[in-house]
Amino acid sequence: PTKNIIMTILESELEDLIFGKIEEGAFDDLIDRGLHLSTNAKYFRQYNFGSYGIADIVSLSIVKQPDYWEFNLSIYELKKDAIGAKTLCQAARYAKGAQRMVDDWNYKHKKKRRIVLNTEIHLIGQSIDGGGFLYLPDLFRQVHIYQYRLEFDGIYFDCKSGYHLSEEKPFKMPNIKNAIISF
């Protein structure tokens, strides 16, 4: 019988693994291993959002529309161990910092092209805190949760979504017609 060997790494080593591949331009390798990346974005490591904190990895792509510029921001928050609500709150703080920067630009430069910000949050950890946290990717499409695993040939990412109770009991939807009439 073979044993499953769990290899552990430091958070900085996890960041080195991911960002190193990005710097090499090996997007396809990371994508094939399960991590969602934008191949037309610029990536930044340890991006400083001022008072809101420093994000592990951030990507930004800009789409120039006639009336505005669309900034597509992805925040990658990494944990060597478990990710959970605290990790999400940390990434949300960075997203708020980005929104404040955009709001400030739009306020100060009213006569210039305004910026519209779209933000995605990617949480990456070796394990995931249970509970209702696992429902987030299905309810909020801009939140992505990954569980990473290290194998002999490198790192892999399992994107978590579609979580449901294992012991679901059947339920009946209310009659739509009666629901509409009651309003």
Side-chain angles (χ1 to χ4, degrees), residues 7-23:
M7 300 186 329
T8 59
I9 58 174
L10 299 173
E11 188 173 312
S12 61
E13 293 171 322
L14 176 60
E15 188 176 314
D16 289 343
L17 276 170
I18 295 170
F19 202 77
K21 290 281 189 187
I22 290 169
E23 283 183 314

Side-chain angles (χ1 to χ4, degrees), residues 2-127:
T2 61
K3 285 186 179 180
N4 286 341
I5 300 172
I6 298 175
M7 300 186 329
T8 59
I9 58 174
L10 299 173
E11 188 173 312
S12 61
E13 293 171 322
L14 176 60
E15 188 176 314
D16 289 343
L17 276 170
I18 295 170
F19 202 77
K21 290 281 189 187
I22 290 169
E23 283 183 314
E24 292 171 12
F27 293 99
D28 288 342
D29 187 36
L30 287 171
I31 292 168
D32 290 346
R33 291 168 181 264
L35 185 60
H36 173 75
L37 295 171
S38 174
T39 57
N40 65 344
K42 290 188 179 179
Y43 284 81
F44 306 92
R45 186 177 190 172
Q46 293 294 305
Y47 189 85
N48 191 337
F49 286 103
S51 304
Y52 291 90
I54 299 173
D56 295 326
I57 297 173
V58 169
S59 75
L60 178 67
S61 67
I62 300 173
V63 178
K64 295 179 181 179
Q65 302 291 349
D67 298 331
Y68 62 93
W69 285 2
E70 186 176 311
F71 280 33
N72 298 303
L73 176 73
S74 289
I75 297 168
Y76 295 84
E77 187 56 31
L78 315 175
K79 296 295 176 202
K80 72 174 186 146
D81 295 319
I83 55 173
K86 186 176 177 181
T87 313
L88 176 63
C89 289
Q90 185 178 357
R93 192 173 66 238
Y94 308 143
K96 182 62 177 186
Q99 185 62 58
R100 294 290 299 137
M101 286 195 267
V102 166
D103 290 347
D104 187 54
W105 166 269
N106 287 337
Y107 178 77
K108 287 180 178 174
H109 304 283
K110 290 178 186 170
K111 295 186 185 206
K112 292 186 178 182
R113 189 166 284 123
R114 70 184 173 89
I115 296 171
V116 174
L117 179 66
N118 301 312
T119 305
E120 285 189 346
I121 293 174
H122 301 263
L123 308 176
I124 303 169
Q126 188 172 36
S127 61

Side-chain angles (χ1 to χ4, degrees), residues 149-178:
R149 67 184 190 284
L150 294 171
E151 295 186 6
F152 291 107
D153 62 342
I155 190 167
Y156 289 86
F157 305 90
D158 296 318
C159 188
K160 301 297 182 178
S161 65
Y163 180 76
H164 57 86
L165 299 174
S166 59
E167 302 272 334
E168 287 180 342
K169 294 182 181 176
F171 62 95
K172 184 177 178 183
M173 293 294 291
N175 182 313
I176 299 295
K177 182 179 176 185
N178 290 339

